[in-house]
Amino acid sequence: MTLDLQQQAQRRMRRALVFLVGLVVVLVGALVGIAFTGGDSTTAAPDSKATESAGPSATPTVKPDDGGYVAPAETVKLPDGTAKAGTLPMQFPHTPEGAAAMAVASVRNAWSLDPAQVRAGILAYASAQYRNQMAAVAEDGAKGNRQYAGITPETGPVPPGATLNAWPIGVKYSAVNGDTVDVLVLLRVTHAAKVGAAPTTTLVVSPGRAVWEGGDWKGVPTDPGKPLPDPVDVGTQSFNADHWKAIQEGDRL
């Protein structure tokens, strides 16, 4: 019971800092670290089975799927932003697809080892009511990302060969109303702790809510009690059965 109460308290704590680019739960032993990538995200543990699909190699699957490559039943080409804040796209269309595009851009940027990049994403994509609070703890987000990737030390120059990359592969979105859209982003997250370390890839589901604010989509906290789907890989029957839309970027799915 004590452990359950501690876990509930941890959930409330990290939900207080939610989506504003998103939060991902990082478990290091018994500790919970914070990394900006998607609320109470669901993460699939790595395993040895890879599936045929674009993006990083050694991709794990959650549900056994021995049918070989299955083409996505649904694909979506998310709209581009018409402006930029530094390198980050902004000014997405006032449509559900525009909200999804903002969420994908936000989550992609959030998986960073650089506190300045995490902070830039917060300033670009967080709702005004949460922006300053989140920007103040951007360094904690980068530390959480290092914990997730097994990188030491948690601050200072990144060790040679240490990497952390997020690759959005699928999305679901549903309009609550014309100015509010709930979004789920499915990602592959690949990391290596140092030179010579074998890259590890996990699948992550990152939840978020987008609101239309000041002429653009911004991120706000999501419902902490809402269950998340299991992560699945693109190119599997499970991806289609769970109604994910494969994200098309250029000539790549």
Side-chain angles (χ1 to χ4, degrees):
M1 180 62 70
T2 300
L3 180 58
D4 289 342
L5 292 175
Q6 289 174 340
Q7 291 173 337
Q8 291 172 14
Q10 289 170 338
R11 291 193 191 98
R12 287 194 296 270
M13 176 187 70
R14 62 183 184 255
R15 277 290 178 177
L17 301 175
V18 204
F19 183 82
L20 318 143
V21 242
L23 295 178
V24 69
V25 180
V26 179
L27 299 177
V28 181
L31 300 178
V32 176
I34 299 175
F36 289 81
T37 50
D40 254 349
S41 65
T42 299
T43 304
D47 69 30
S48 59
K49 182 179 178 180
T51 60
E52 178 190 345
S53 51
S57 60
T59 304
T61 56
V62 178
K63 299 176 181 177
D65 196 317
D66 298 322
Y69 177 76
V70 179
E74 298 181 75
T75 63
V76 62
K77 176 70 169 68
L78 295 175
D80 297 325
T82 59
K84 286 190 174 182
T87 61
L88 300 175
M90 303 280 289
Q91 297 296 315
F92 294 99
H94 191 185
T95 63
E97 289 75 18
M102 181 282 294
V104 168
S106 170
V107 171
R108 188 199 307 270
N109 180 80
W111 287 94
S112 174
L113 302 174
D114 180 2
Q117 183 174 336
V118 174
R119 185 176 186 275
I122 294 168
L123 296 177
Y125 300 122
S127 173
Q129 60 183 316
Y130 304 105
R131 191 175 298 140
N132 291 338
Q133 175 191 2
M134 294 307 302
V137 295
E139 187 171 346
D140 291 337
K143 286 181 182 178
N145 284 342
R146 287 200 186 197
Q147 290 179 342
Y148 186 90
I151 297 171
T152 55
E154 294 179 1
T155 58
V158 176
T163 60
L164 177 67
N165 297 290
W167 190 287
I169 57 174
V171 67
K172 298 183 189 183
Y173 46 91
S174 59
V176 178
N177 55 51
D179 292 334
T180 306
V181 179
D182 287 334
V183 184
L184 294 175
V185 182
L186 176 64
L187 310 99
R188 292 200 196 101
V189 179
T190 300
H191 56 86
K194 58 184 177 181
V195 170
T200 298
T201 299
T202 54
L203 298 170
V204 176
V205 174
S206 177
R209 168 165 284 192
V211 297
W212 188 251
E213 177 182 294
D216 203 358
W217 292 105
K218 302 297 179 182
V220 298
T222 56
D223 178 2
K226 190 173 182 178
L228 297 177
D230 289 335
V232 293
D233 200 14
V234 66
T236 66
Q237 184 57 47
S238 296
F239 184 92
N240 293 341
D242 290 351
H243 303 291
W244 288 101
K245 298 178 189 293
I247 297 171
Q248 182 177 353
E249 294 181 314
D251 295 330
R252 180 193 72 81
L253 278 180

